[in-house]
Amino acid sequence: MSKSKVVVVTGVSSGIGRVAAEKFAKQGCQVFGTVRSIAKTKPLPGVELIEMDVRDDNSVHHGIQSIIDRARHIDVLVNNAGVAMLGATEESSITEAMAMFDTNVLGILRTSKAVLPHMRAQRSGRIVNVSSVLGFLPAPYMGLYSASKHAVEGMSETMDHEVRQFGIRVALVEPGFTKSNLDANSPLVTNKITAYDNERDRVSCAIAKNVDTAPEPEGVANTIVSAALGAWGMRHQPKGQASLLSKLRRFMPAAPVDASLRKSFGLG
């Protein structure tokens, strides 16, 4: 089934997006991977790189149109591009919040709006939005990132209701900690408040420890491929921590979940 699929994956310069694009190519798909700079990106076997910035309307329009010109259609869009930031909510500036949402939320909106007319015309398609366990769980000192992923979850569920009449479905992939640049290199807020230094430092150390012992991106990439090419399901969690946290959130009382979460972030 997958051999004729045309797949677009955003943010393939490294990490989860890069591994997912490789796996789609190995499935026999025609794969296009978007990056902000082709010159700064290592070639990816079986993947055609497209220069596109999800923060820019014109860039997204031209990037998606160039794919349509080459492949004539798009069957799967994987919205993987994203950014993270560490800091207390009070420390976060409006500018930082706007930048976070511009990439993590509006980036998905831009690419989806660019692809949907083509999917509607062909009466089929699949959009896979890479969210996070923080899309359904809070996370201390990652307020902006959590808020953006909660927004992705709400937008995705709503969009799925709207587009299924055209033979299109929208799915979410919700990974936990993964060995990737996103988790390992999250920048700190610019304007730090000293009152938060102690806890923020502990959370930063806990995140680094969790990333150090986290699985490689292969598991998440496999989940993305399954969500894109397999039977439709709204939520897909890679095996391990993400799947466990999803079950805890659904079935455990709030107090022990809260305590476990604080402990995992060094605040126990």
Side-chain angles (χ1 to χ4, degrees), residues 6-10 30-34 64 67 74 76-79:
V6 176
V7 178
V8 179
V9 183
T10 67
Q30 183 178 4
V31 185
F32 296 89
T34 78
I64 296 301
I67 294 169
I74 294 173
V76 175
L77 168 66
V78 177
N79 283 308

Side-chain angles (χ1 to χ4, degrees), residues 116 120 127 158-170:
L116 278 170
R120 282 193 289 105
I127 297 175
T158 297
M159 194 187 307
D160 179 67
H161 283 294
E162 297 164 350
V163 300
R164 68 179 69 173
Q165 63 181 309
F166 308 116
I168 306 164
R169 299 308 298 261
V170 181

Side-chain angles (χ1 to χ4, degrees), residues 170-248:
V170 181
L172 286 158
V173 171
E174 301 166 322
F177 284 115
T178 306
K179 273 194 172 68
S180 69
N181 290 336
L182 179 68
D183 283 338
N185 300 322
S186 298
L188 287 172
V189 291
T190 302
N191 298 313
K192 293 182 281 294
I193 298 172
T194 56
Y196 291 106
D197 284 351
N198 182 44
E199 277 203 351
R200 189 191 335 98
D201 289 347
R202 280 194 280 157
V203 168
S204 181
C205 289
I207 290 174
K209 183 178 179 181
N210 277 295
V211 171
D212 188 55
T213 58
E216 298 290 338
E218 276 73 16
V220 182
N222 285 333
T223 304
I224 291 171
V225 173
S226 176
L229 303 180
W232 178 84
M234 186 70 238
R235 284 180 168 77
H236 301 258
Q237 292 101 16
K239 292 179 181 179
Q241 180 200 46
S243 180
L244 175 62
L245 287 172
S246 176
K247 291 179 175 64
L248 289 175

